[in-house]
Amino acid sequence: MKKTSTRLADGRELIYYDSRDDTVRDAVDRRPLDRTVTTSEVRRDPLLGDAVAIASHRQGRIYHPPADECPLCPSEGDRLSEIPDSSYDVAVFENRFPSLAGDSGRCEVVCFTSNHDASFADLTEEQAGLVLEAWTDRTAELSHLPAVEQVFCFENRGAEIGVTLGHPHGQIYAYPFTTPRTALMLRSLAAHKEATGGENLFDAVLERELADERVVLETEHWVAFVPFSAHWPYEVHLYPRRRVPDLLGLDEGARTEFPQVYLELLRRFDRIFGEGEPPTPYISAWHQAPFGTLEEFDGVVREDFALHLELFTIRRTSGKLKFLAGSESGMNVFINDVPPETAAQRLREVASS
């Protein structure tokens, strides 16, 4: 992999990740852009103890542009985009309309491919492996920023999820705090460790799932399963067999095998609802240990956390979505219409050829 860092016209960083070491990236951003100004602010909720990012400048972000004006496609002729070069393998740049910025963290856009009409599932194993390298490199780089405590790599796919740009891409949020969801995991981890005299909760969960009927697929280095208490109609958790706290900890075997496993899962997701159905909307989210102190979680260290990916869709059946209504939005109590065992069986049935 070759990494090339440059700057866009307004000063934001752009990084190319190329599979060929002899690739030259010297294209200049010719757009007349003013310096980016953001108004991001993180506010704490005194009752819930969680955080809300206030980012009014995001009201002006690009919204469903036509394909020939896509800002994530390579630049061509007089059509200038966020990517100055005429082609790219994987490109990462600072978000022009970030939810987090400055002392409040950082937001980046990850373009998986220059092909506007593709999806992650259409990538080759080599391309998917390059995205994994980009995620890993950005996790390492962002963890060194003074304001950053946790790095979150994710993809929103589909208009139903709220995606406003059709080009295949994901995002990276670098938070200045430990996120509420991760804090819940860490508290459960600490309680279980104390109650069992040192047993790791993530290891116990994985062992239980391997012995049950919700495993979707397993390989030498990875296990994918629908969790016992799945929140979403179709939800898969992907764990490396060897527990590591973040993407940096993956060994060569897990890195080599990941593209095959992940692409298989994505392709199965597109088969859940049968032929002729529109692509399955989903969220794909990497959970990594925070880089900050874990003193408030008694007895827990970073190495206790287990890196894992959660992949889920809000579509519950053909033509119907799962909405977060009163119980979910008001009380954070999910109601799942699809039994996890049924979801796992369906995902095994639709194995891609």
Side-chain angles (χ1 to χ4, degrees):
M1 179 194 79
K2 182 180 181 181
K3 174 184 174 182
T4 306
S5 180
T6 184
R7 293 282 171 180
L8 296 172
D10 55 7
R12 289 175 293 128
E13 186 177 17
L14 165 67
I15 308 110
Y16 294 100
Y17 293 89
D18 289 291
S19 56
R20 290 175 54 99
D21 290 337
D22 59 352
T23 303
V24 177
R25 298 294 184 188
D26 55 7
V28 177
D29 185 4
R30 295 180 284 126
R31 296 174 297 171
L33 299 180
D34 295 328
R35 204 85 177 163
T36 300
V37 178
T38 64
T39 56
S40 179
E41 176 190 359
V42 174
R43 297 183 182 181
R44 290 282 179 180
D45 186 315
L47 296 180
L48 298 178
D50 59 9
V52 178
I54 309 298
S56 60
H57 61 277
R58 284 174 54 78
Q59 285 281 37
R61 65 188 187 275
I62 299 171
Y63 187 81
H64 291 299
D68 60 358
E69 295 179 17
C70 174
L72 307 185
C73 287
S75 293
E76 183 178 359
D78 293 331
R79 186 181 62 76
L80 306 178
S81 72
E82 294 278 63
I83 318 294
D85 217 325
S86 58
S87 67
Y88 63 85
D89 290 344
V90 175
V92 179
F93 60 86
E94 288 183 75
N95 198 322
R96 190 177 177 187
F97 303 95
S99 302
L100 307 165
D103 293 339
S104 297
R106 174 159 157 153
C107 293
E108 298 182 341
V109 177
V110 184
C111 299
F112 303 139
T113 172
S114 59
N115 183 355
H116 180 86
D117 298 316
S119 69
F120 201 117
D122 296 322
L123 301 183
T124 65
E125 290 185 17
E126 180 183 14
Q127 290 173 309
L130 187 60
V131 175
L132 176 62
E133 291 304 311
W135 283 332
T136 305
D137 180 73
R138 297 315 302 152
T139 296
E141 292 292 327
L142 292 170
S143 71
H144 295 309
L145 296 180
V148 173
E149 189 167 311
Q150 186 173 4
V151 178
F152 176 47
C153 307
F154 65 100
E155 180 192 2
N156 297 326
R157 194 263 196 127
E160 300 94 329
I161 298 294
V163 175
T164 57
L165 296 176
H167 196 103
H169 72 288
Q171 299 180 66
I172 301 175
Y173 278 21
Y175 297 100
F177 49 80
T178 297
T179 62
R181 187 175 176 86
T182 302
L184 284 174
M185 294 183 196
L186 291 169
R187 282 194 283 273
S188 297
L189 189 62
H192 185 85
K193 190 173 186 179
E194 181 179 8
T196 60
E199 182 182 65
N200 184 279
L201 179 57
F202 287 109
D203 292 350
V205 167
L206 185 56
E207 182 179 356
R208 173 186 178 180
E209 295 294 352
L210 279 167
D212 221 314
E213 58 182 311
R214 290 175 299 277
V215 172
V216 175
L217 64 86
E218 54 181 311
T219 63
E220 180 181 355
H221 298 281
W222 296 89
V223 178
F225 59 88
V226 178
F228 173 75
S229 54
H231 290 57
W232 300 94
Y234 291 90
E235 174 182 339
V236 174
H237 292 193
L238 178 62
Y239 277 66
R241 288 185 185 268
R242 185 177 70 88
R243 172 165 43 89
V244 295
D246 52 42
L247 289 166
L248 284 71
L250 292 175
D251 60 25
E252 192 59 34
R255 290 186 180 281
T256 299
E257 204 174 70
F258 171 77
Q260 174 190 351
V261 174
Y262 187 49
L263 290 172
E264 173 70 16
L265 285 177
L266 292 180
R267 290 162 186 168
R268 290 191 192 191
F269 256 58
D270 274 342
R271 289 178 165 84
I272 293 174
F273 304 105
E275 296 297 328
E277 288 290 320
T280 301
Y282 65 74
I283 292 174
S284 177
W286 280 110
H287 291 265
Q288 306 191 81
F291 288 95
T293 177
L294 299 181
E295 291 179 358
E296 63 180 291
F297 309 103
D298 294 339
V300 171
V301 295
R302 285 195 83 246
E303 289 68 26
D304 290 332
F305 194 87
L307 166 78
H308 61 284
L309 182 142
E310 297 184 8
L311 173 67
F312 60 90
T313 179
I314 63 171
R315 185 179 291 164
R316 56 188 175 88
T317 188
S318 180
K320 297 179 181 179
L321 301 180
K322 164 64 179 175
F323 293 102
L324 300 190
S327 186
E328 292 88 354
S329 295
M331 283 293 158
N332 201 28
V333 178
F334 276 67
I335 301 169
N336 189 353
D337 299 332
V338 181
E341 294 74 19
T342 302
Q345 177 62 31
R346 178 57 181 160
L347 285 163
R348 288 193 295 268
E349 291 172 350
V350 296
S352 62
S353 58

